[in-house]
Amino acid sequence: MKININDQNSYGQINPNLHGQFIEFLGNCIDEGIWVGKDSKIPNIDGMRKGTIDALKKLAPPVVRWPGGCYADTYHWRDGIGPQKDRPISFNENFGTYQRDRHSFGTDEFMEFCELIGAQPWFNINMLSASVQEMKDWMEYCNRSEQTSLSNQRKDNGHAEPYAVKYWGIGNEVWGGGGSMTPEMYADKYREYASAMPTFQKSIFDQNPIYKIASGPDGNKPIERVKWTKDFLKAFSRYRQPGINAMDLHFYNWNIEHESDTPTDFGEDDWYRVINGAQELDQIINQQADLIKEGLQNIPQPESSLDHRLDRIDLVVGEWGNWHRTAFTAKPALKQQVTMRDAISTALMLDILQKNSDKVTMACVAQTINVLNALILTEGDQTILTPNYDVFMMYKAHRGNSALKIQTNQDQKNVYTFASKKDGEIILDAINANLNDQVKLTVELNKEIESISKDFLQSDRPTDFNSSDNPDLIRMQQTEVKDFSKGEITLELSPASVNVFHIKTID
């Protein structure tokens, strides 16, 4: 296979928020995964598992979405503030969790968690079982700097300064468990909630610091996702529009039709089905970006220059990742192992997000810990980093870079590439999704090469995974590439591998 990369042929900047994470009270994501309690024998920081904190601090995810997900629509934020002993106990039925919720990990704990790992928070409000007033109060508690009853309550709970939460999701999957709404129904409710949001401005001329995220379509429904976005934006073309900064698309790489295919036991056909399924995300992003553009063009011009016209809506992917059939019956709920098949499809979807950095601005993998396409699994006092964790670590180098167009001169099936540049360095991802075949990749550059290093992830068997007995079976490795000419390299890609090349060039 042969490709050509010209570092002058750039487009779009890779928003670091494309590497976001998602946590909610499902299965053991929060309890056990993050929250173990201050009195736990498991090493912790203010009740939060130290192993999880240390791993995520190293990863430094730019944004974390919480409290859901479907859990957001049963969550009342006041249950999770104040002294732990005074917090109510409720019951969580979401996606088969069936656990008591002591609300130990609430707003202030989540904000400390974000601070510890260096992430911005994305709050999703309860639109289904709460109220506009409850949303307003939560925002006041988090963001109000002036002395009010709610800001004083935050101060009493240990945080005098406002949290300045920017990202607020208005509803979650409203087409399904979030209310089974039609686009028109949701548009009406969205108008109400978005209009009621406090701005925290100091002057009417200040820019509104709140980033409002609307619930977007179900990416797994090819017909519905098109009609949903069209009908939702059509509803907003009638009369005045409240602010919408983004629409939140959800996409899961479903692997649920084949009973014999499990996360750790699968054949060659199963391998390629999941790998190929990840490719659909590219089509969906481009489709939805076009639909948003088309919908905005139909927004009428206001009669007064003082009136707002909705003219830009970002596309975000608030939930994405592999979802295998066994997750539905797993205990704890939605827990699944992560093999090289998951690592490669995760890398593919990350590259699709990065490749479309001119169309999508933020994304959160589902979910970070102990649920679905996890980066971290916990068992007792052990914190196990999955191969997905290594993929995200390898891809950190792309954050904030300029995406580069790649010209493919000679194609090869099941080999995928992506490149970006920053400060005289080209970062090249090369994924060999061929289960058994090694591939030689020739790269032609427009500049001379100074040095090349390689990060790579591979294993002896595609069904390998990291476990409590062998937590480092699959780990990122590094090496130097020394065989290259002035502007050309031939790189060897092992079967079923993720490779990231750091190519320093000479101006």
Side-chain angles (χ1 to χ4, degrees), residues 426-446:
I426 294 172
I427 311 297
L428 171 65
D429 302 340
I431 302 168
N432 182 6
N434 286 288
L435 188 56
N436 301 306
D437 299 332
Q438 187 179 55
V439 170
K440 286 191 175 181
L441 174 66
T442 300
V443 183
E444 297 175 336
L445 298 172
N446 65 315

Side-chain angles (χ1 to χ4, degrees), residues 369-423:
I369 307 149
N370 285 335
V371 168
L372 298 177
N373 204 49
L375 282 65
I376 298 170
L377 299 175
T378 63
E379 293 183 22
D381 62 354
Q382 283 190 278
T383 304
I384 303 155
L385 306 180
T386 76
N388 281 347
Y389 178 86
D390 291 68
V391 169
F392 271 85
M393 286 296 294
M394 293 164 70
Y395 277 36
K396 273 184 70 176
H398 289 293
R399 296 180 189 175
N401 291 9
S402 297
L404 293 174
K405 291 183 179 179
I406 295 178
Q407 180 183 340
T408 304
N409 302 325
Q410 209 173 22
D411 207 355
Q412 184 157 339
K413 192 175 182 181
N414 300 317
V415 177
Y416 306 92
T417 58
F418 171 78
S420 72
K421 71 164 186 176
K422 188 176 184 180
D423 299 333

Side-chain angles (χ1 to χ4, degrees), residues 215-370:
S215 177
D218 181 354
N220 289 93
K221 302 292 192 300
I223 298 173
E224 181 184 293
R225 69 186 179 222
V226 172
K227 193 166 181 355
W228 174 277
T229 302
K230 283 185 174 181
D231 289 349
F232 178 69
L233 292 174
K234 184 178 180 180
F236 273 85
S237 68
R238 302 187 182 104
Y239 302 100
R240 303 177 194 182
Q241 309 92 42
I244 304 178
N245 296 101
M247 285 181 62
D248 177 18
L249 166 76
H250 292 179
F251 169 76
Y252 286 97
N253 185 19
W254 288 108
N255 180 32
I256 60 177
E257 300 297 335
H258 299 78
E259 291 187 32
S260 61
D261 180 350
T262 74
T264 59
D265 186 10
F266 50 83
E268 185 171 346
D269 289 346
D270 303 321
W271 167 273
Y272 286 111
R273 184 178 56 255
V274 172
I275 298 300
N276 292 334
Q279 306 303 312
E280 188 182 4
L281 180 60
D282 187 40
Q283 173 197 343
I284 295 169
I285 287 173
N286 281 277
Q287 177 190 75
Q288 288 294 313
D290 287 344
L291 289 170
I292 290 172
K293 183 178 179 181
E294 177 186 316
L296 289 174
Q297 288 173 347
N298 293 326
I299 301 290
Q301 291 291 337
E303 291 187 65
S304 167
S305 61
L306 295 177
D307 290 337
H308 161 79
R309 180 182 184 269
L310 191 61
D311 58 5
R312 177 189 171 94
I313 299 177
D314 294 337
L315 178 63
V316 304
V317 184
E319 298 181 24
W320 67 270
N322 285 346
W323 190 319
H324 300 294
R325 183 187 182 97
T326 56
F328 286 106
T329 55
K331 296 294 180 185
L334 300 186
K335 190 169 186 177
Q336 60 187 32
Q337 258 297 351
V338 176
T339 65
M340 277 305 303
R341 180 174 67 168
D342 299 296
I344 284 182
S345 48
T346 294
L348 281 170
M349 287 185 277
L350 266 178
D351 273 340
I352 287 169
L353 290 166
Q354 294 179 153
K355 184 180 78 170
N356 290 291
S357 57
D358 56 338
K359 302 179 186 73
V360 61
T361 59
M362 185 160 60
C364 298
V365 68
Q367 295 185 11
T368 311
I369 307 149
N370 285 335

